[in-house]
Amino acid sequence: MKVAIVGAGPAGAHLATLLSQNGCEVLLFDAREQPWEKPCGGGVTTKALREFDFLRKDQSNKQLVSTVRVIGASGREVSVQPKSDFAIYSRAELDRLMRKRAIDAGARFICARVARITNSAGQWDLKTQDGAVYTCDFLVGADGATSKLRPKLGVEFAPHDFFYGLGWHIKTDRAADWDATRVDIKYLRSGTGYIWAFPRTDHVSYGIAAKYQERTPAQLKAELLDLIELQLPAVAREIKMAAHHSTPHATFYGAMIPSLEAASWDRLKVSGDNWALIGDAAGFVDPLTGEGIYYAIKSAELLAEAILTRANDYEARWRTEFGAEMRRAAEMIPRFYRGSFAGQPFTERVIQFARHHRGVRDTLNDLIAGDQSYLGLKQRLFKSLLSI
Ligand SMILES: Cc1cc2nc3c(=O)[nH]c(=O)nc-3n(C[C@H](O)[C@H](O)[C@H](O)COP(=O)(O)OP(=O)(O)OC[C@H]3O[C@@H](n4cnc5c(N)ncnc54)[C@H](O)[C@@H]3O)c2cc1C
């Protein structure tokens, strides 16, 4: 079977690797000749490292984390030490690693932007921006959060199905400025979302993500700069003097992140006759945290199994594997970010309890590691609190 995959990010590259290793002819398209520092925190959870061998074995490109500091809007904080590896990747490095695996496995990489797709008699024609035409039997959209293939295949997301994230990749003098084994997560003063400071091997990714259109980019920049000011005052000054654009030490980025609402998960359908969507293009991102790298790779695995076994059951596979979990995360958003508990914001209470109670701290640790399901979260927290 000849499969065309549009997009060579983690989802597309991993699918290309698996299908090529199993005898399919694979065309892997990407508009970018070389992987780039895509807007992303680059956080790869313990769960992802445990499940995906090639990430666990990779020694050179990731920054391992030994402390996760969670900070409330009030400044109250708690630190947890991940029980197993938790890593931060530069996205240029992660994508380079994954694209190389695909090419080594035999996928044909085509550097071109796919501009048009047409289907006739069970065959797909893909026309690239430079006018070339390619044919295939099976078409995969792995072209990211703002996928152009998605609407052409009849799948639509609404503005409320997104977060918007922005930030700066900041070069620092690591020895002097930064503990490179610590990540910071800070909840917002109001609204849905959070701030992160994730150290990579040669820079720090500072970012803020919030429900799309809930706050203006200017408001998001101001709140993120307050944290940068505390941690790297000279860089914060430089960014302000550059009117919040890029500077010699800080590269600005901004991008959409899928965060599907519960009802959108219910009606989501990401495959049909000889086509499928994976990764961000399918909306497969944890709606509460914005974690998408795990789901990009996992959905590629599930689609590869469905194609290779000719079972035509991709839809059932992703729903069984993580559909209910994602829907639950979407349901929890209002309570988690905007709710209150005993007169305080919910996030403040979580930090307060975690500071004083080992069971709550362990639950928070497992949640960050990707090892605590949202489906069982309420029960576990309740049990922990009862044993105070
Ligand atoms: C600000 C921000 C912070 C994030 N932080 C984290 C985090 O810390 N941890 C985490 O797990 N996830 C995070 N995510 C989510 C994560 O970045 C994505 O879930 C992940 O990159 C999805 O992989 P993908 O392969 O589906 O898509 P992408 O990585 O977006 O790859 C899509 C590829 O398609 C190519 N493409 C697009 N259109 C075309 C076309 N027409 N023709 C050819 N090629 C095309 C692009 O060039 C790109 O290479 C974050 C996202 C954002 C925006």
Side-chain angles (χ1 to χ4, degrees):
M1 185 191 301
K2 190 169 171 184
V3 181
I5 303 169
V6 181
H14 195 57
L15 180 66
T17 303
L18 298 175
L19 293 180
S20 302
Q21 283 169 343
N22 285 281
C24 292
E25 184 182 350
V26 175
L27 305 180
L28 178 62
F29 293 86
D30 203 288
R32 289 178 186 267
E33 175 97 56
Q34 293 297 330
W36 66 304
E37 209 46 80
K38 175 204 176 295
C40 186
V44 174
T45 56
T46 304
K47 180 178 169 189
L49 292 176
R50 193 171 48 238
E51 277 195 38
F52 307 127
D53 247 19
F54 69 96
L55 289 180
R56 194 174 55 253
K57 288 180 184 154
D58 168 51
Q59 297 297 338
S60 49
N61 300 304
K62 56 182 189 252
Q63 173 67 54
L64 290 178
V65 171
S66 59
T67 303
V68 179
R69 185 165 68 162
V70 184
I71 311 166
S74 68
R76 185 185 278 135
E77 62 180 65
V78 64
S79 289
V80 294
Q81 278 70 42
K83 295 175 205 151
S84 306
D85 284 350
F86 180 103
I88 308 295
Y89 265 94
S90 141
R91 282 303 305 270
E93 296 307 324
L94 176 65
D95 289 20
R96 205 182 325 279
L97 170 77
M98 297 196 67
R99 197 184 284 190
K100 181 175 182 312
R101 288 181 80 242
I103 294 168
D104 289 350
R108 179 176 163 208
F109 177 71
I110 299 164
C111 175
R113 177 173 295 282
V114 172
R116 241 185 54 199
I117 50 166
T118 47
N119 186 311
S120 64
Q123 276 246 321
W124 290 98
D125 284 340
L126 285 77
K127 191 166 185 187
T128 56
Q129 220 162 31
D130 52 13
V133 177
Y134 300 83
T135 59
C136 68
D137 308 307
F138 197 100
L139 174 67
V140 180
D143 50 339
T146 53
S147 168
K148 296 282 186 301
L149 255 63
R150 186 169 59 223
K152 289 178 183 151
L153 292 165
V155 185
E156 304 269 0
F157 296 163
H160 56 70
D161 285 319
F162 288 92
F163 270 36
Y164 175 69
L166 61 78
W168 289 270
H169 292 136
I170 297 181
K171 289 204 183 311
T172 58
D173 174 356
R174 289 177 50 177
D177 292 336
W178 193 256
D179 173 0
T181 65
R182 191 195 75 216
V183 304
D184 287 346
I185 292 169
K186 185 173 190 299
Y187 295 115
L188 305 186
R189 287 192 282 265
S190 66
T192 312
Y194 67 97
I195 288 173
W196 66 89
F198 284 4
R200 274 96 170 267
T201 49
D202 69 344
H203 65 273
V204 184
S205 167
Y206 274 93
I208 181 167
K211 186 90 181 157
Y212 182 53
Q213 291 177 334
E214 201 177 82
R215 300 171 68 190
T216 65
Q219 289 170 330
L220 296 177
K221 285 177 181 174
E223 187 155 353
L224 175 57
L225 274 168
D226 283 349
L227 180 71
I228 300 176
E229 179 110 56
L230 281 178
Q231 301 188 338
L232 300 169
V235 181
R237 263 196 309 278
E238 195 180 286
I239 292 171
K240 284 179 184 168
M241 282 175 67
H244 300 172
H245 296 298
S246 294
T247 76
H249 294 101
T251 308
F252 178 74
Y253 65 82
M256 302 291 274
I257 312 171
S259 171
L260 270 57
E261 295 199 334
S264 306
W265 285 107
D266 291 340
R267 53 174 173 264
L268 187 62
K269 187 171 178 301
V270 293
S271 61
D273 280 347
N274 296 339
W275 66 267
L277 301 170
I278 54 176
D280 277 19
F284 292 160
V285 176
D286 179 329
L288 191 112
T289 63
E291 179 198 0
I293 296 171
Y294 172 83
Y295 298 99
I297 301 173
K298 191 72 195 175
S299 59
E301 242 178 50
L302 299 174
L303 180 60
E305 284 161 14
I307 291 176
L308 292 168
T309 57
R310 297 186 182 270
N312 199 17
D313 59 352
Y314 173 54
E315 214 68 47
R317 283 176 193 261
W318 74 258
R319 281 210 177 269
T320 307
E321 188 67 38
F322 54 73
E325 182 72 4
M326 295 294 91
R327 190 188 187 285
R328 179 74 190 121
E331 272 180 347
M332 282 173 58
I333 287 180
R335 179 78 199 270
F336 187 85
Y337 287 119
R338 302 191 297 272
S340 60
F341 182 66
Q344 289 244 4
F346 185 76
T347 47
E348 287 293 323
R349 284 289 183 216
V350 170
I351 292 168
Q352 198 178 21
F353 285 130
R355 278 168 68 96
H356 300 293
H357 194 273
R358 177 127 185 234
V360 179
R361 204 159 52 243
D362 281 349
T363 310
L364 187 63
N365 202 346
D366 287 346
L367 196 62
I368 291 166
D371 283 337
Q372 171 60 51
S373 149
Y374 292 119
L375 294 165
L377 179 63
K378 197 170 161 188
Q379 267 172 321
R380 184 168 168 198
L381 276 175
F382 200 55
K383 252 189 185 164
S384 298
L385 288 172
L386 281 181
S387 64
I388 287 180

